[in-house]
Amino acid sequence: PARWALLVVLGRRDLVAHRPGLGAGSKDTHLRLALDGRNPDDGMTAVAYDKGAALLRLIEQTVGRARFDAWLRSWFGRRAFTSATTDDFVEDLRANLLGGDTALQARLGLPAWLDAPGIPPNATHPTAALFDRVDAAAKLFATGTPAARLETRAWVTQQWLRFLGGLPEQATTAQIADLDRTFGLSRSGNSEVLFAWLRIAIRHRYEPAMPALEHFLTAQGRRKFLRPLYDDLMKTSWGPAVARRVYQRARPTYHAVSVATLDTIVK
């Protein structure tokens, strides 16, 4: 449960982070995704996963774990080896879990979840106790505590991501170097942690991490990593030259879907 709570909190953070990037009035934060006349890939974000998971948690909390689990098992039994649409989900939910309980349906507010942008106000607010010491460590580091004095033993990936995400926007060069020297972040074998660290390195133009950045961009094919890193580089005064040089070499190795996205960034 403690590790699961970390994932829930991070999912909520990612969902909040998606909203400004999708723009006001965008339907890409609707769960009933509108793809008519569009390239389906244009609407593929983490919103469906994070907002969808938040809706399922709300349903579970509202009806109770026992009722929710029974309905979920029956849903998979009825839908085995078939496809289902959003309308199929709503129809099944109302028929086999909510019944004719209009008050319960009103509490869930399905229209706001399915056909409105952003996060509905009745969404649950997840917390994670394992993040408490991470946040404390981030505050200590921001106020001058050396990295070697931080208590990071047994931290898992999600805790490292929380720590890196909580660093000051304008940390000093000495602080960035201290983190790298102490924790070997530029040599991390964890792609998620390395990705988060490289974004920080770009923001601070931390030269010792540039070889790791170039290797990552040429060895990694996932668009979820490539797009933000190239975008970060292109937004700096010094990064476009680096981005274009690396992209020219790496482009033939990328998937066509990634290329279609990155061509619009690395101009």
Side-chain angles (χ1 to χ4, degrees):
R3 289 285 297 274
W4 172 81
L6 297 180
L7 297 175
V8 172
V9 171
L10 288 173
R12 171 64 177 249
R13 183 204 66 184
D14 291 345
L15 184 57
V16 171
H18 263 101
R19 290 189 294 180
L22 293 173
S26 170
K27 293 186 178 181
D28 286 348
T29 59
H30 296 196
L31 279 178
R32 195 193 309 273
L33 194 56
L35 293 174
D36 291 347
R38 304 172 63 193
N39 182 339
D41 189 63
D42 292 340
M44 292 296 100
T45 69
V47 169
Y49 301 97
D50 296 326
K51 188 174 180 178
L55 172 58
L56 292 177
R57 287 194 298 273
L58 174 66
I59 295 172
E60 177 189 46
Q61 183 183 66
T62 303
V63 304
R65 178 67 180 268
R67 285 181 62 187
F68 178 77
D69 281 358
W71 169 75
L72 198 58
R73 284 191 293 269
S74 69
W75 160 269
F76 285 118
R78 286 187 297 276
R79 296 291 175 175
F81 307 108
T82 65
S83 299
T85 66
T86 300
D87 288 336
D88 293 331
F89 166 78
V90 173
E91 181 181 350
D92 194 282
L93 188 72
R94 287 173 173 163
N96 297 296
L97 181 61
L98 306 180
D101 192 334
T102 56
L104 191 56
Q105 293 186 36
R107 285 174 61 192
L108 291 178
L110 288 176
W113 283 91
L114 301 176
D115 300 306
I119 307 172
N122 63 340
T124 59
H125 293 274
T127 60
L130 288 182
F131 278 149
D132 291 345
R133 62 173 178 162
V134 176
D135 295 341
K139 289 179 180 178
L140 287 172
F141 181 74
T143 55
T145 300
R149 291 177 56 190
L150 302 178
E151 180 54 65
T152 63
R153 287 181 299 176
W155 277 13
V156 297
T157 299
Q158 292 78 19
Q159 288 171 293
W160 279 109
L161 295 179
R162 175 83 166 205
F163 176 77
L164 293 174
L167 293 178
E169 281 291 318
Q170 297 301 325
T172 67
T173 301
Q175 285 179 309
I176 298 300
D178 184 25
L179 286 175
D180 201 16
R181 183 173 55 251
T182 303
F183 302 122
L185 293 168
S186 294
R187 303 187 305 275
S188 176
N190 184 309
S191 293
E192 294 285 353
V193 172
L194 182 56
F195 165 70
W197 170 246
L198 292 175
R199 297 198 74 182
I200 293 170
I202 293 171
R203 188 166 72 239
H204 293 85
R205 197 174 181 179
Y206 177 61
E207 293 291 345
M210 292 303 107
L213 171 64
E214 184 165 341
H215 179 267
F216 191 79
L217 290 172
T218 54
Q220 175 61 244
R222 297 192 65 187
R223 189 176 58 161
K224 64 170 282 190
F225 296 137
L226 299 175
R227 175 167 52 184
L229 290 173
Y230 277 113
D231 193 46
D232 288 348
L233 283 170
M234 294 299 291
K235 289 178 179 177
T236 69
S237 61
W238 57 271
V242 176
R244 294 187 183 106
R245 176 175 57 79
V246 174
Y247 188 54
Q248 183 178 23
R249 178 157 62 96
R251 187 179 186 277
T253 70
Y254 291 154
H255 191 282
V257 171
S258 294
V259 169
T261 298
L262 298 175
D263 277 354
T264 66
I265 296 173
V266 187
K267 300 175 182 177

